Amino acid sequence: MRIAIVTESFLPSLNGVTTSVCRVLDRLLETGHDAVVIAPSHAPESYAGFPVRAVTSIPVRQFQVGLPTGEIEDVLREFRPDVVHVASPFVLGARGLTAADRLGLPCVAIYQTDMPSYLEQHGNVAGAATGRAAAKAAWRWIRRIHSLADLTLAPSSAALSDIRAHGVPRTGLWGRGVDTGLFRPEWREDAGSRALRRALAPDGQVLVGYVGRLAPEKEIHRLVDVATIPGTRIVLVGDGPSRTALAEQLSEAVAGSPGRPNLPPVFLGRRSGDDLARAYAAFDVFAHTGTRETFGQTLQEAAACRLPVVAPAMGGPLDLVDHGTTGFLFDPADPRSIVEHVRTLVADPALREAMGSAGLVKVEPRSWAALVDQLVGHYEDAIARHRASAA
C-alpha cells in the first residue's frame, strides 16, 4: 500500500502527534508499505527511509504551523497514494483533506487534539463568553474538515463520543501503542537509573513524576498541593511556557508546608529515548494532571515501566486506568482528590507494586506493531468506503 501522511506536527518537535506518526512509519517500513510524509518546515528530509516533504510554515507558541498552500496537492499528485492519512488535522491537515478530496483520494483523519477545549480555556482569559464562542467555532471547523474524510478515528471512547456528539460523520476507534521495548521495568536495575534516583531522592523520598509539556492546558497546578505531602518530591520531565511559573508555585508550596519541608521540585527538561525511560524508572508514582487529553500516551509509558498512575476521571485516562487496580482516577472537580490518591500510594509501597504490576499486564498487548496493523485495516476500510461512495 502507498500511504501519504499529512501531519500537523513532526520532528524535531516532540509531542503525541509526532510520536504516533513516527511509530506508524516504523511499522509501515517493517511490513513493506511505501509512504511519504508532508510536514511543517524544519522537518528532516527523511524518516525510516521514507521521504519527508516540508511545506512552508510559521512559528506559533514554539510550534511550526504549516501553511495551507498548494504544495500538499503537488506532493499527493506526484506520489499517487492509495490512501491519505491526516494526523490531527486543523490547519495543514485541513488543506490535506481538501487536496485529497479534490484529487479523489481515500482519506483517514486521526482526531488527536482537543482543540476546542484548549481554545475555550485560553479564550476564557478574555471572558467566559469569548472562550465558549472560540470552542463553538472550533467544533464547526472540525466538523467541516472531518466531513471530507472517509473515516475519522478517535483515540479513546471519550473522544469518540465527543466527536460523534458534535456531528463528525463516519467515525471509529483507534487507540495508541506503546513502545514496550523501550519502556520496561528492567530500567529500574540500570546503573544510570539508580544514579538518577539517588540524586533525586537522597533520603529515600517517594518520587512523584510528571512527563509532558509544561503549559497551562496541562493543568500542572494540580501538583502544588501534592508537593506538600510529607516525604515526597515532585519531578517534572518536559518543557514549555509554564516552567518558570510552576517552579515558583511548587517551590513556595514546599517551603510553606508544615513540619520538615520536602526537597524542592526538580525539572529535568525534555528527555527522549533511553533518558526518558530512565526518568520513568526513577519514579515511584506517576501523576497525570490534564483533563483535556483525548488519550494520554504518558500513562501507557508509565504503566509499561510498572508504575501506578493517578489521572483525572475524564477523557482518555478513563480507558487507560482501572480505578483501584492499576492506579486511581481522581475527581477533577475536587482539588483534594488527587492529593488523597497520591497520599494513599505514598503511604503503601506494597500497593504501589501491586498496581504497577497490574498496569504492566494491561499495557503489554498494546504494542505499536499491533496498533499499526489495526490502522492498516482502517486504511482498507476507508478505501472500500471511498470506492462504494464513488460507485
Side-chain angles (χ1 to χ4, degrees):
M1 193 179 293
R2 292 170 65 81
I3 303 112
I5 298 181
V6 183
T7 178
E8 294 283 351
S9 178
F10 199 60
L11 300 171
S13 178
L14 295 175
N15 52 50
V17 175
T18 297
T19 297
S20 295
V21 170
C22 289
R23 298 296 81 79
V24 167
L25 290 166
D26 292 340
R27 181 60 175 171
L28 293 178
L29 177 66
E30 291 175 357
T31 48
H33 299 288
D34 196 8
V36 65
V37 180
I38 303 171
S41 59
H42 303 307
E45 293 184 356
S46 66
Y47 178 84
F50 298 125
V52 177
R53 301 290 293 273
V55 301
T56 305
S57 64
I58 58 174
V60 177
R61 288 192 70 213
Q62 300 180 329
F63 291 102
Q64 289 294 323
V65 176
L67 298 179
T69 69
E71 297 172 85
I72 298 175
E73 196 163 329
D74 293 340
V75 176
L76 294 179
R77 188 179 290 109
E78 174 188 337
F79 185 68
R80 299 177 62 189
D82 296 306
V83 65
V84 180
H85 166 147
V86 185
S88 196
F90 202 75
V91 181
L92 183 65
R95 186 68 179 88
L97 286 163
T98 302
D101 182 63
R102 191 170 296 162
L103 295 172
L105 297 170
C107 193
V108 174
I110 310 297
Y111 177 76
Q112 188 157 338
T113 305
D114 186 0
M115 191 62 71
S117 289
Y118 291 161
L119 291 175
E120 181 172 10
Q121 181 187 38
H122 290 286
N124 282 342
V125 174
T130 300
R132 289 193 298 269
K136 288 181 179 179
W139 275 119
R140 287 195 297 271
W141 177 243
I142 289 170
R143 186 164 51 247
R144 176 183 173 185
I145 62 176
H146 280 268
S147 68
L148 297 173
D150 294 283
L151 181 62
T152 290
L153 299 174
S156 65
S157 55
L160 182 60
S161 296
D162 210 15
I163 62 175
R164 285 176 173 172
H166 286 89
V168 175
R170 299 178 297 279
T171 58
L173 182 66
W174 179 61
R176 297 293 180 271
V178 61
D179 186 350
T180 52
L182 174 61
F183 301 108
R184 59 187 194 278
E186 289 77 12
W187 279 107
R188 295 186 183 183
E189 308 306 319
D190 173 75
S193 300
R194 288 177 172 271
L196 177 62
R197 179 169 179 80
R198 286 194 298 270
L200 296 175
D203 299 314
Q205 288 86 355
V206 176
L207 298 180
V208 180
Y210 166 88
V211 175
R213 182 168 161 76
L214 307 182
E217 63 268 16
K218 299 301 183 181
E219 303 174 65
I220 311 169
H221 65 275
R222 295 178 185 275
L223 293 180
V224 170
D225 288 338
V226 174
T228 65
I229 298 174
T232 63
R233 191 179 199 183
I234 301 294
V235 183
L236 301 100
V237 176
D239 206 351
S242 297
R243 176 167 177 162
T244 300
L246 284 169
E248 294 176 356
Q249 292 171 352
L250 290 167
S251 296
E252 288 177 3
V254 168
S257 59
R260 182 183 178 185
N262 293 331
L263 292 175
V266 177
F267 290 78
L268 296 180
R270 291 174 56 177
R271 289 188 167 215
S272 60
D274 290 357
D275 286 339
L276 177 56
R278 289 189 180 96
Y280 278 117
F283 300 159
D284 296 294
V285 176
F286 184 77
H288 179 79
T289 52
T291 60
R292 295 169 173 82
E293 302 294 335
T294 58
F295 189 69
Q297 181 65 4
T298 57
L299 295 175
Q300 292 200 134
E301 293 170 354
C305 294
R306 208 165 64 205
L307 284 172
V309 300
V310 178
M314 182 179 291
L318 292 172
D319 288 353
L320 301 177
V321 182
D322 291 339
H323 181 71
T325 301
T326 66
F328 292 116
L329 292 168
F330 69 83
D331 179 2
D334 179 0
R336 297 299 302 175
S337 181
I338 184 174
V339 178
E340 294 310 315
H341 287 314
V342 173
R343 191 190 302 276
T344 297
L345 288 168
V346 167
D348 193 339
L351 180 62
R352 296 201 299 268
E353 184 65 25
M355 286 188 164
S357 296
L360 176 62
V361 170
K362 181 173 182 176
V363 82
E364 280 179 328
R366 299 179 188 161
S367 69
W368 271 111
L371 269 293
V372 177
D373 290 348
Q374 289 179 17
L375 179 62
V376 171
H378 287 304
Y379 291 160
E380 293 168 347
D381 182 27
I383 291 170
R385 288 172 182 244
H386 187 83
R387 288 172 178 167
S389 65

